[in-house]
Amino acid sequence: MRLKNNLLFPLLALLLCATLQAEEKYSLRLAYGMESDSDLGDIISLQDSTRHKYRFDVLSLDAGYLLSPSLFDLPLDLYIKGGTALFRSEDLSRYPELSGMDDLTDANVYEFTLYVKLYYNIDFWGNRVRLGLGEGGSYTTDYLPPEVIEERTEEPDDPKYSKYLNYLDISLDLDIGRLFRLKALRDTYLGYTLKHRSGIFGTINGVSGGSNYNTISIEKNF
């Protein structure tokens, strides 16, 4: 399946949302990106964010509902969100070092997430930047290849990975409607989103590792 076909329906949905006139209680986000072999701490501290040795990408679509605007009378918006994602891998059979790894697949893997997300709104000169942090759960239809490779490389005697893991959704984006003074694009946010799965140091199913996907995202509130 080609990427352009995967993107067609979500893009049409975003364009439709851009034309709707409502109370902006809902959101729809499309994101695409690549897996990184860097740790979460290195990525968010901007120390070292490198792409994985093997090619793994993700295409995700998330929808949200605004639970509380201006939480505690602060520039904080609280959403509940759910999403689905398609994880793809290159042909891993080309790499002899991966041969014989149990539970490793290069077939498509699908993810379902449910989480709450808090946005901190920063308004300046008529523009808006948002810093977002989401926390919840992630379930995949199969084991994610980068998680399998990490565990079987670092813990070959006792590898642990799981379809269900904790989920973090970290983002930084900018309202392009306010930036370009285009009313039709107001509350349309373009930016960066980090999709993070982990076992929280072994507290979930004994998993100490996880995965990080750096993505470019576009989100519309409507």
Side-chain angles (χ1 to χ4, degrees):
M1 182 181 298
R2 294 185 178 180
L3 176 61
K4 64 180 181 180
N5 293 329
N6 292 333
L7 285 169
L8 180 59
F9 176 75
L11 283 175
L12 288 175
L14 280 173
L15 289 173
L16 176 60
C17 291
T19 66
L20 295 177
Q21 300 295 324
E23 298 180 0
E24 299 176 1
K25 289 184 174 292
Y26 302 93
S27 69
L28 193 65
R29 184 186 75 192
L30 177 68
Y32 174 77
M34 308 293 295
E35 214 276 341
S36 170
D37 62 1
S38 300
D39 293 333
L40 174 63
D42 292 334
I43 295 175
I44 62 177
S45 63
L46 305 178
Q47 293 183 21
D48 180 25
S49 180
T50 58
R51 204 178 79 177
H52 202 283
K53 176 181 178 181
Y54 312 105
R55 182 180 176 86
F56 304 114
D57 65 3
V58 63
L59 176 66
S60 66
L61 182 65
D62 292 65
Y65 178 77
L66 180 61
L67 294 175
S68 178
S70 302
L71 187 65
F72 306 126
D73 292 324
L74 295 172
L76 300 171
D77 294 335
L78 181 65
Y79 282 80
I80 185 168
K81 294 198 169 194
T84 184
L86 167 65
F87 293 93
R88 303 187 306 175
S89 304
E90 65 172 314
D91 182 5
L92 299 177
S93 64
R94 299 186 299 146
Y95 301 97
E97 68 271 21
L98 300 180
S99 63
M101 279 193 178
D102 294 338
D103 300 318
L104 182 62
T105 177
D106 53 17
N108 290 343
V109 178
Y110 296 90
E111 176 194 42
F112 303 95
T113 56
L114 182 63
Y115 57 101
V116 292
K117 187 164 183 178
L118 188 66
Y119 288 97
Y120 177 61
N121 301 313
I122 305 170
D123 294 332
F124 61 98
W125 300 331
N127 297 310
R128 171 168 289 182
V129 172
R130 303 186 307 176
L131 178 63
L133 176 61
E135 162 66 29
S138 163
Y139 178 82
T140 54
T141 56
D142 206 340
Y143 302 117
L144 284 185
E147 297 174 2
V148 173
I149 293 172
E150 178 187 41
E151 281 296 301
R152 291 205 165 272
T153 300
E154 298 182 3
E155 302 289 343
D157 297 328
D158 189 26
K160 290 184 173 65
Y161 33 83
S162 174
K163 295 179 181 178
Y164 175 80
L165 288 175
N166 185 68
Y167 178 70
L168 290 180
D169 192 280
I170 303 171
S171 62
L172 178 65
D173 52 26
L174 172 70
D175 187 331
I176 58 176
R178 286 179 170 91
L179 177 64
F180 296 110
R181 305 298 188 260
L182 296 174
K183 185 176 180 180
L185 292 179
R186 191 174 177 87
D187 296 310
T188 301
Y189 295 89
L190 179 66
Y192 164 82
T193 299
L194 172 64
K195 289 175 60 67
H196 171 79
R197 281 170 42 95
S198 77
I200 317 180
F201 306 106
T203 58
I204 298 180
N205 299 324
V207 177
S208 57
S211 59
N212 296 298
Y213 283 79
N214 295 310
T215 72
I216 299 298
S217 59
I218 183 168
E219 182 167 13
K220 174 64 180 177
N221 293 347
F222 61 97

